[in-house]
Amino acid sequence: MRVRILVSLKASVLDPQGQAVRNALHTLGYKAVEDVRQGKVFEVDLAGLSRDEAARLVPEIAHKVLANPIIETYAWEILEE
Amino acid sequence: MRVRILVSLKASVLDPQGQAVRNALHTLGYKAVEDVRQGKVFEVDLAGLSRDEAARLVPEIAHKVLANPIIETYAWEILEE
């Protein structure tokens, strides 16, 4: 099974990396770009797990390892069974 | 309009960051994790663009700024009109 986990900064947390990208895009003339938030994406292959087992495992590893729950949130989805 | 752009390393490119995450997860006992690939995600707010204009703009900024087309690929989707 392959899952995708998106980790992004909470809305209340400043994102200097996203701001730098936004500013770079403005400098290049892309004025339609109002805001950019940058995050991380993990595509994870899991072996021999049922859907239910994945639904327990993925939040656990996201919370413990992939995201910093103080400043980040995550979302996940199954890409392939 | 809000779009999400996912930037990931091409399958043929080594991903040491993803490997480090996989190894960390194994060390913690998550043996079901077979492989991890890490990428970037950008959530971009665009002002005053039609769907067609976004469909021209987003690939352009992804190709020129957000991704390195030599080693990375991207995918994008509209999150909000």
Side-chain angles (χ1 to χ4, degrees):
Chain A
M1 180 184 297
R2 170 169 288 194
V3 300
R4 173 184 288 155
I5 303 155
L6 293 169
V7 176
S8 50
L9 287 168
K10 289 181 181 172
S12 58
V13 177
L14 281 177
D15 177 8
Q17 214 172 358
Q19 282 302 302
V21 172
R22 176 186 163 279
N23 294 344
L25 289 169
H26 273 214
T27 304
L28 291 168
Y30 299 110
K31 303 292 187 194
V33 175
E34 284 197 317
D35 193 26
V36 177
R37 303 280 294 176
Q38 186 169 346
K40 292 174 285 185
V41 56
F42 298 91
E43 289 195 9
V44 180
D45 289 329
L46 299 169
L49 294 190
S50 68
R51 254 185 122 85
D52 284 356
E53 287 167 334
R56 279 192 298 271
L57 180 70
V58 174
E60 191 178 317
I61 66 175
H63 194 268
K64 268 180 146 170
V65 181
L66 305 181
N68 174 352
I70 310 291
I71 56 167
E72 293 173 324
T73 57
Y74 68 89
W76 70 283
E77 62 186 324
I78 294 174
L79 295 180
E80 260 173 48
E81 289 286 339
Chain B
M1 179 185 295
R2 169 168 288 193
V3 300
R4 174 183 288 153
I5 303 154
L6 293 169
V7 176
S8 50
L9 288 167
K10 289 182 181 173
S12 57
V13 177
L14 282 178
D15 177 9
Q17 213 172 1
Q19 282 301 304
V21 172
R22 176 186 164 279
N23 294 344
L25 289 168
H26 273 213
T27 304
L28 291 168
Y30 298 110
K31 303 292 187 195
V33 175
E34 283 197 318
D35 193 25
V36 178
R37 303 281 292 177
Q38 186 168 345
K40 292 174 285 185
V41 56
F42 299 90
E43 290 195 6
V44 179
D45 288 329
L46 298 169
L49 294 190
S50 68
R51 253 186 124 84
D52 284 355
E53 288 166 334
R56 279 191 298 272
L57 181 70
V58 173
E60 191 178 318
I61 66 176
H63 195 268
K64 268 179 145 172
V65 181
L66 305 180
N68 173 352
I70 310 292
I71 57 167
E72 292 172 324
T73 57
Y74 68 89
W76 71 283
E77 62 186 323
I78 294 174
L79 295 180
E80 260 173 49
E81 290 287 338

